[in-house]
Amino acid sequence: MPEAKVDKVIRFGVGLATAESLYRSFPALNSIPQLRRSLWPQFLGTGSATTVALTFDDGPDPKSTPLILDKLDQLGVKATFFCLGEMVERYPYVLKDVHDRGHDIALHGNWHRNHLFRSAKSIRYDMERGFDTIRSTVSSEPVYFRPPYGVITRPTLATAASLGLRTVLWGTWGRDWRSAATPASVLKDLKSNLEAGSTILLHDSDCTSAPGSFKSTLGALEPLHSLVGMNGWRMVPLSEHGF
Ligand SMILES: [Zn+2]
């Protein structure tokens, strides 16, 4: 990111902090990995020194999630899927497949809506509906929550706590939602902040991304698995990440 743009984002963040609260500055600051790391270490999902956690957002999606699941089976890897309630309502059988293959099911909200400037009541309704939909579909309760766009507000945290959910963002991402993404670019972006204990953010659906972007995600999984192995780490779901 060019320095002038970084500067602008920081000033935007500071401006929001003055006008609202530090929590409300989070979305702007969140776009800069170094700031995210130093300001919000408790949400990065940093785990044990021998593992990296693999997580996917925005599914379940009948077009792409089964392909991701097949690749993970082939690699012998389990992951954590942050699901949208509205996608679960449409495609419950895909969520059941994710669950039956032994992956963690987590909550990403009922709808993919930014929590910034939304009322506490609206956020609560959204999260509770998604939570209930997942619970009634796979007969188990999600344990982790990741808000859309990584935007955390006070009502986000309060609702997560009341539902017994641990809020987890990520330590590194593949920027796999972009139309310009390729398997090589996804791997390169992941590597830029990948270290022992990292939590990785990818997407198993393009429902909020560029159409077909999941193909880049899919293509990056095998080389990512090799890279993690070469470092002597294991790729695991959040429930085995030791954090
Ligand atoms: Zn998302």
Side-chain angles (χ1 to χ4, degrees), residues 57-58 108 112 203:
D57 287 5
D58 294 358
H108 195 35
H112 205 272
H203 295 79

Side-chain angles (χ1 to χ4, degrees), residues 5 23 27 39 44 55 71 74 77 80 86 123 179 205 208:
K5 194 171 175 191
Y23 277 116
L39 289 172
L44 299 183
T55 73
K71 179 56 77 176
Q74 190 188 322
V77 168
T80 299
E86 67 169 335
I123 289 170
S179 59
S205 169
T208 69

Side-chain angles (χ1 to χ4, degrees), residues 57-59 82 84 108 112 146-150 201 203 207-209:
D57 287 5
D58 294 358
F82 286 89
L84 291 168
H108 195 35
H112 205 272
R146 175 179 290 152
Y149 310 104
L201 166 64
H203 295 79
C207 70
T208 69
S209 313

Side-chain angles (χ1 to χ4, degrees), residues 84-92 110-111 129 133 137:
L84 291 168
E86 67 169 335
M87 294 294 276
V88 175
E89 284 171 27
R90 268 183 246 159
Y91 312 113
N110 198 67
W111 297 280
R129 180 162 169 172
T133 300
T137 304

Side-chain angles (χ1 to χ4, degrees), residues 51-114:
T51 57
V52 296
L54 181 61
T55 73
F56 295 92
D57 287 5
D58 294 358
D61 188 326
K63 188 177 57 184
S64 47
T65 304
L67 298 173
I68 301 276
L69 293 175
D70 288 347
K71 179 56 77 176
L72 295 179
D73 279 352
Q74 190 188 322
L75 298 171
V77 168
K78 304 292 184 208
T80 299
F81 288 78
F82 286 89
C83 300
L84 291 168
E86 67 169 335
M87 294 294 276
V88 175
E89 284 171 27
R90 268 183 246 159
Y91 312 113
Y93 57 95
V94 183
L95 186 74
K96 284 177 184 158
D97 192 17
V98 177
H99 184 255
D100 289 349
R101 296 206 210 187
H103 301 282
D104 288 355
I105 308 292
L107 178 65
H108 195 35
N110 198 67
W111 297 280
H112 205 272
R113 292 181 192 155
N114 194 326

